């Protein structure tokens, strides 16, 4: 699909979208959502650039090409290219969102195959039909995993309000009826379809909450309560007035999902595995995405230092730059390792290594705010104090004279770079990027738990037990069982 084709496809849909208390008549033409629509449109445009074809497109097994973001990975090379594609797309758009479809398809391929093999269901075939449609029609999908969740200390069936987790309230001949809400859903207003996944492990009593399916964004009964995308209409926001993402609450008011779109319904034992499978893919994609944020921030920090007349090749500014590089390339290296150490799963999909994808995501969750601080240290306070566009216009000569920095006549450039840095690190959008780095894809504690669960801790214990007995000690081995 071309960028214009994507906009036209949005005009054919009629979702119930609300922004700032107002119903949106046409998502493609809504100024408050424009940065999000622009970002997705750019992902379509980039996929058609011949020089990016190897990164952005894949050949389908049955012939023809598809966007990499709508395809399964079959090798470590696919994972590496997807990681790189995320980095390139997010450099241009801030948060490209298209990889959500990719991540959900990978997880569903694995778990629907497992369900069919172990429980006799028929989900894998239904998924294959959807995957083919997504590839052929070049769909952009949101992934709705995070439930409202009410009291976090209680399981779904223990909540005072039973709709705090999305659930199946009725199984009718024409489909499953869904009630409840999913929250924090990126890109929902301007997607074509929503892929619904369970957010956590479930018990038998939670059976009605163990649901996965695909829902058109304009399905009757589905309401999208969205924040504006990026910093729509803000003149001082050079990047995020153009590109950014909206997050939305999706309210399911008895939405009927036809059975051929239902991919898990009551198989509670697989809910946690599906959530973890998605997380492994998604955290890997997040690594590419935030490395792109790092690329922009590093570039802006260096540009500011140079505009200030300073060299980044020596002194403490070189130290700062080295720290930024080690942060960004450190977590990106985990993405590369996760690709190379990936494995094939049921359903034929290649998945990134869970330890490396979780640790890489954890590193970025903890270090993106550090990255902002170090870049701001390099750039100076002007990032926060740069005059508004209106003041630059009104007091043009004075502002130009006193914000020149090192280059006479360079004030405009210095102001623009300061605004870019402010936009990404010191505005409400900067806060959004810090928060999506921290919680998007799961809270830091979820990442820690997942990494530890998938790490060979026992192997390390055994190693230590064996080495502890090497010296023999007073009485030799005390019965560790490992040293032979
Ligand atoms: C910008 C942004 C975009 C997002 N996009 C999407 C998206 O597209 N799709 C999607 O599905 N989700 C999305 N998310 C949601 C994201 O996955 C969640 O924010 C994340 O899983 C954390 O959940 P929460 O925000 O509800 O935090 P909470 O669950 O409220 O967590 C707050 C704190 O409480 C702790 N905690 C939670 N439960 C327990 C417990 N039982 N015991 C002890 N401690 C606990 C957590 O570890 C954390 O430290 C997005 C989030 C953000 C910020």
């Amino acid at each position: 699909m071309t960028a214009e084709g994507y906009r036209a496809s949005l005009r054919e849909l009629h979702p119930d979208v609300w922004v700032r208390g107002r119903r949106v008549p046409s998502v493609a033409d809504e100024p408050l959502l424009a940065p999000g629509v622009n970002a997705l449109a750019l992902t379509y445009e980039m996929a058609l650039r011949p020089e990016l074809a190897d990164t952005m497109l894949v050949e389908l097994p049955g012939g023809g090409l598809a966007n990499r973001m709508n395809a399964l990975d079959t090798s470590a090379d696919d994972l590496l290219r997807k990681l790189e594609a995320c980095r390139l797309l997010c450099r241009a758009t801030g948060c490209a969102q298209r990889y959500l479809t990719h991540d959900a398809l990978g997880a569903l391929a694995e778990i629907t195959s497992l369900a069919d093999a172990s429980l006799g269901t028929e989900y894998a075939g239904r998924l294959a039909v959807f995957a083919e449609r997504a590839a052929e029609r070049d769909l952009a999908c949101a992934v709705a995993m995070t439930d409202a969740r009410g009291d976090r200390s209680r399981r779904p069936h223990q909540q005072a309000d039973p709709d705090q987790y999305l659930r199946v309230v009725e199984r009718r001949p024409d489909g499953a009826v869904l009630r409840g809400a999913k929250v924090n859903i990126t890109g929902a207003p301007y997607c074509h379809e929503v892929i619904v996944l369970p957010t956590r492990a479930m018990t038998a009593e939670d059976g009605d909450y163990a649901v996965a399916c695909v829902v058109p964004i304009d399905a009757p009964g589905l309401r999208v309560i969205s924040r504006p995308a990026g910093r729509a209409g803000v003149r001082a926001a050079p990047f995020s007035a153009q590109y950014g993402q909206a997050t939305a609450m999706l309210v399911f008011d008895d939405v009927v999902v036809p059975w051929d779109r239902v991919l898990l319904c009551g198989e509670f034992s697989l809910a946690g595995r599906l959530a973890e499978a998605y997380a492994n893919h998604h955290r890997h994609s997040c690594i590419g995405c935030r490395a792109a944020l790092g690329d922009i921030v590093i570039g802006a920090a260096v540009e500011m230092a140079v505009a200030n007349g300073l060299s980044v090749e020596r002194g403490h500014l070189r130290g700062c730059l080295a720290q930024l590089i080690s942060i960004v390339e450190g977590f990106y290296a985990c993405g590369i390792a996760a690709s190379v150490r990936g494995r094939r799963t049921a359903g034929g999909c290649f998945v990134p290594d869970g330890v490396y994808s979780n640790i890489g995501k954890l590193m970025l969750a903890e270090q993106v705010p550090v990255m902002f601080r170090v870049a701001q240290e390099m750039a100076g306070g002007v990032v926060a104090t740069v005059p508004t566009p209106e003041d630059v216009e009104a007091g043009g000569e004075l502002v130009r004279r006193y914000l020149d920095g090192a280059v006479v006549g360079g004030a405009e450039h210095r102001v623009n770079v300061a605004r870019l840095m402010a936009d990404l690190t010191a505005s409400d959008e900067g806060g959004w990027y810090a928060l999506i780095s921290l919680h998007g894809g799961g809270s830091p504690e979820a990442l820690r738990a997942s990494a530890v669960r998938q790490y060979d801790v026992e192997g390390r214990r055994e190693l230590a037990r064996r080495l502890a007995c090497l010296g023999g000690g007073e009485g030799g081995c005390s019965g560790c069982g490992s040293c032979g």
Side-chain angles (χ1 to χ4, degrees), residues 83-91 288-289 291-292 295 328-329 332:
L83 187 70
E84 186 61 18
C86 289
R87 192 165 182 168
L88 289 177
L89 291 170
C90 294
R91 268 185 195 173
C289 194
D295 292 334
V328 175
E329 302 308 335
Y332 194 69

Side-chain angles (χ1 to χ4, degrees), residues 385-475:
T385 62
V386 61
T388 63
E390 292 78 10
D391 282 328
V392 173
E393 277 160 20
E397 277 317 305
L398 293 174
V399 171
R400 270 183 212 107
R401 179 173 171 200
Y402 292 112
L403 285 181
D404 254 357
V407 186
V408 176
E412 200 173 338
H413 181 61
R414 194 160 169 270
V415 163
N416 286 341
V417 179
R419 281 204 193 119
L420 175 64
M421 177 81 92
D423 194 12
L424 291 174
T425 71
S427 66
D428 49 357
E429 193 70 358
W432 190 89
Y433 279 114
L435 250 296
I436 198 167
S437 302
L438 188 66
H439 275 299
S443 73
E445 187 53 21
L447 309 174
R448 292 183 199 110
S450 194
V452 169
R453 211 165 29 242
Q454 297 179 70
Y455 196 70
D456 180 14
V457 178
E458 265 318 298
R460 269 69 178 183
R461 251 189 96 191
E462 236 180 82
L463 171 69
R465 278 152 57 165
R466 226 175 334 107
L467 295 182
C469 294
L470 278 184
E474 282 284 295

Side-chain angles (χ1 to χ4, degrees), residues 147-167:
D147 295 273
R149 287 186 292 152
D151 180 343
R152 268 68 170 158
S153 69
R154 291 170 184 266
R155 294 194 160 278
H157 75 278
Q158 296 169 330
Q159 297 287 332
D161 172 353
D163 300 337
Q164 287 297 320
Y165 284 73
L166 186 72
R167 63 179 174 137

